Amino acid sequence: MSGQAAGSLRSRCPVSLVDWPAGVAAERPADGLLSVELRWLEGRITSVLPVADAQGLVLPRLVEPHGHLDKAFSWSDFPNPTGTYAGAMDANMREHRTRTAERVHERSERALALAWRHGLRAIRSHIDSLGPGAACSWEVLTSARQRWKGRIELQLVALVPIAHWSTPEGEHLASQVAAAGGVIGGVIEPPCRGRAPRQALRRLLALAERHGCPVDLHIDEASEHPAAGVRQLLRVLRTMTVSVPITCSHASSLSLLNPASLQRLGVRMAEHQLRVVALPLTNGWLLGRRGQATPLQRPLAPIRQLRDCGVCVAVGGDNVQDPWFPGGNLDPLALMAMGVPLAQLAPWDDEGMAPFSTDAARLLDLAWDGVFRPGAPADLIHVPTGGWPELLSAPPQRQVLAGGVWVQD
Ligand SMILES: [Zn+2]
C-alpha cells in the first residue's frame, strides 16, 4: 500500500448508505442515488456532503458473511459434475483427506488477494474442522487472519456435524475455537426428527454460551422438510437462554412453507434474534434438482419475508470454485449482479441494499455498519462511470479505497 493521507471523491451513493449531517436535507432521487462528496484524512471520513450531478457510483467496502476459504479453488481437482448435494459432499470428503498446509495456504492467499482487490473488508469463513485436514486448515487460516489484519477482517467458524459438539473431542475443539476467537459452527441435515438433533443443538449452544462464542449453523440447506432444522432450534431455545448471537446460514427450505407458517416462524426467529445468511448461488446450483429436468422450485431463504418479521438477513457468496459450486470469485459486485435477479432484490431500495451491505456488517458484528459518515473508515468501492446497469453488469471496473489509501492492482 502506498498513498496519500488526505483525499476526496465525488460520486453517487445509495441513499441508505449516507448519514447526512444534521440540518442537511436531501430529496430521494428516483434511482436511489445521491450525488455526494466524501472527504477523508488519515484513514477516516471527515465530511459527507451533497453536491450537484456527480458521476459513477460509490459503495462502502463490502462484507462476505459466509465463505469456505479452506476449500476454495478445489473444483479442478475434485469436481462434482452431477451438481448434486451428495456428489459435492463426496468430493469434499475426498478433498479433505488430501489437504496439506501448503494447499490450504495457496487457496486462502489466492482468495484473500482477490477479495482485497474486489473490495471486501470482512469475510466469515467456515472451516471443515473434523478429520485429517482440520488441524492444518485452522493453523493456516488463523495465521492468514493475523497476516491480513488491518486489510480484511477474517472470522473463522468450526464446521462439523452438530453431534460432534457432544463428544469429548468436540469439547476440546470448542476450547480451541474459543482461544482463537472463533465461531462455533455445525451442519444439521434434515429431516432432523426426534430428540437427537435437539440434544445435539442444546449441547452446542451450551458450549458456545460457556465460551462466549457466536454460533453459525448450516441449517435447512434442503429442498424438502421445510424449516425442520430451524423448528428444532426454536424448540431448544424455548428451554434455554442463549446470549451469544446465532446465525442460520442457508435456511433455504423455509421458502417452501406456506405464507402463514412462514410468518409465524419469522416472528419467533426475530424474538430469539436469529440471523440469516441467504446463499442464492450455491442454493441455486445444488437445490431443487429433479434429475435432468430444469428445476421449477428454487429453495432460497425468504429474505424479504424474514426481514419484514424483523430478522437480520444478509446475502453471501458461499463457495468459490469448489465441489459445492464451480463459480464464485469473492467479488461482492458480481454477487450483487447474480443475487439481485435470483432474490428479486432492488438495490436502489434500502430493503434491497441492506442484505448486501449494512445487514451483512451487523450480522458479523463489525465495528462499522458500512454507512458513510464523519469518523467512518475511508473504505469504499468506486465504479467511476455509469450507474446501476454498469454495477449489475458483472464484473465492472472499480477502484477500491482502504483506510484512505487506493488499493493498487
Ligand atoms: Zn457454506
Side-chain angles (χ1 to χ4, degrees), residues 34 44 46 51 114 118 126 130 155 184 206 265 274-275 373 385:
L34 293 167
R44 294 272 153 190
T46 52
V51 293
L114 272 180
H118 288 152
H126 297 250
L130 180 63
Q155 297 186 359
I184 301 268
L265 193 82
L274 298 184
R275 307 161 179 198
R373 63 173 76 82
T385 52

Side-chain angles (χ1 to χ4, degrees), residues 181-204:
V183 179
I184 301 268
V187 188
I188 171 166
E189 286 189 44
C192 319
R193 286 203 193 96
R195 287 177 57 210
R198 287 199 296 284
Q199 279 173 340
L201 281 169
R202 195 170 290 121
R203 184 77 188 140
L204 179 158

Side-chain angles (χ1 to χ4, degrees), residues 294-325:
T294 298
L296 304 177
Q297 202 172 45
R298 310 304 302 256
L300 170 67
I303 301 169
R304 293 296 296 267
Q305 292 89 327
L306 292 173
R307 282 178 56 81
D308 289 347
C309 292
V311 178
C312 176
V313 187
V315 173
D318 207 351
N319 305 92
V320 173
Q321 301 172 40
D322 68 21
W324 301 86
F325 182 58

Side-chain angles (χ1 to χ4, degrees), residues 22-382:
V24 175
E27 257 178 50
R28 189 189 175 91
D31 62 1
L33 293 173
L34 293 167
S35 291
V36 297
E37 183 182 75
L38 302 171
R39 290 175 181 243
W40 59 87
L41 182 65
E42 286 165 5
R44 294 272 153 190
I45 299 286
T46 52
S47 73
V48 183
L49 289 169
V51 293
D53 297 331
Q55 299 296 311
L57 207 148
V58 64
L59 298 173
R61 277 210 297 151
L62 293 168
V63 171
E64 173 50 81
H66 184 120
H68 292 264
L69 301 189
D70 55 339
K71 60 186 89 163
F73 311 109
S74 59
W75 170 280
S76 305
D77 290 333
F78 298 92
N80 171 29
T82 62
T84 61
Y85 186 99
M89 183 63 91
D90 183 58
N92 191 155
M93 288 308 193
R94 283 186 285 115
E95 176 274 313
H96 189 82
R97 285 195 286 274
T98 67
R99 272 190 205 181
T100 60
E102 291 70 31
R103 273 194 195 169
V104 179
H105 176 77
E106 262 171 44
R107 293 170 185 169
S108 53
E109 282 303 303
R110 185 174 163 195
L112 285 158
L114 272 180
W116 171 243
R117 283 207 306 277
H118 288 152
L120 283 172
R121 66 183 171 103
I123 301 174
R124 176 176 282 184
S125 176
H126 297 250
I127 302 174
D128 293 350
S129 298
L130 180 63
C136 70
S137 301
W138 268 88
E139 206 176 295
V140 167
L141 282 159
T142 42
S143 65
R145 184 179 57 179
Q146 203 51 35
R147 206 168 35 257
W148 283 84
K149 202 173 167 183
R151 289 179 289 172
I152 295 176
E153 179 173 335
L154 194 49
Q155 297 186 359
L156 305 178
V157 189
L159 177 60
V160 294
I162 55 164
H164 184 66
W165 298 112
S166 303
T167 65
E169 294 78 24
E171 187 128 348
H172 181 63
L173 177 62
S175 313
Q176 290 180 319
V177 170
V183 179
I184 301 268
V187 188
I188 171 166
E189 286 189 44
C192 319
R193 286 203 193 96
R195 287 177 57 210
R198 287 199 296 284
Q199 279 173 340
L201 281 169
R202 195 170 290 121
R203 184 77 188 140
L204 179 158
L205 293 171
L207 267 180
E209 188 71 5
R210 192 194 326 148
H211 288 291
C213 295
V215 170
D216 194 329
L217 301 169
H218 279 67
I219 191 165
D220 291 326
E221 181 182 6
S223 313
E224 50 203 358
H225 307 290
V230 169
R231 285 194 199 286
Q232 290 283 39
L233 175 61
L234 287 168
R235 274 184 76 174
V236 171
L237 289 172
R238 270 211 311 253
T239 62
M240 66 189 292
T241 305
V242 179
S243 57
V244 294
I246 303 172
T247 297
C248 297
S249 284
H250 290 286
S252 331
S253 67
L254 274 59
S255 60
L256 306 176
L257 294 170
N258 69 48
S261 299
L262 176 56
Q263 162 76 15
R264 282 195 298 275
L265 193 82
V267 168
R268 287 170 62 206
M269 291 173 76
E271 278 167 8
H272 288 283
Q273 296 174 350
L274 298 184
R275 307 161 179 198
V276 168
V277 184
L279 299 158
L281 306 188
T282 294
N283 288 168
W285 176 242
L286 289 178
L287 301 185
R289 283 187 181 267
R290 294 283 182 272
Q292 298 302 314
T294 298
L296 304 177
Q297 202 172 45
R298 310 304 302 256
L300 170 67
I303 301 169
R304 293 296 296 267
Q305 292 89 327
L306 292 173
R307 282 178 56 81
D308 289 347
C309 292
V311 178
C312 176
V313 187
V315 173
D318 207 351
N319 305 92
V320 173
Q321 301 172 40
D322 68 21
W324 301 86
F325 182 58
N329 57 357
L330 289 143
D331 182 343
L333 302 188
L335 175 63
M336 280 181 74
M338 290 186 274
V340 158
L342 285 171
Q344 296 187 356
L345 291 169
W348 40 90
D349 293 337
D350 305 354
E351 284 288 311
M353 179 49 81
F356 292 103
S357 56
T358 46
D359 279 355
R362 274 175 61 203
L363 191 136
L364 295 197
D365 289 307
L366 300 180
W368 179 38
D369 59 3
V371 175
F372 292 118
R373 63 173 76 82
D379 278 14
L380 59 85
I381 300 172
H382 182 220

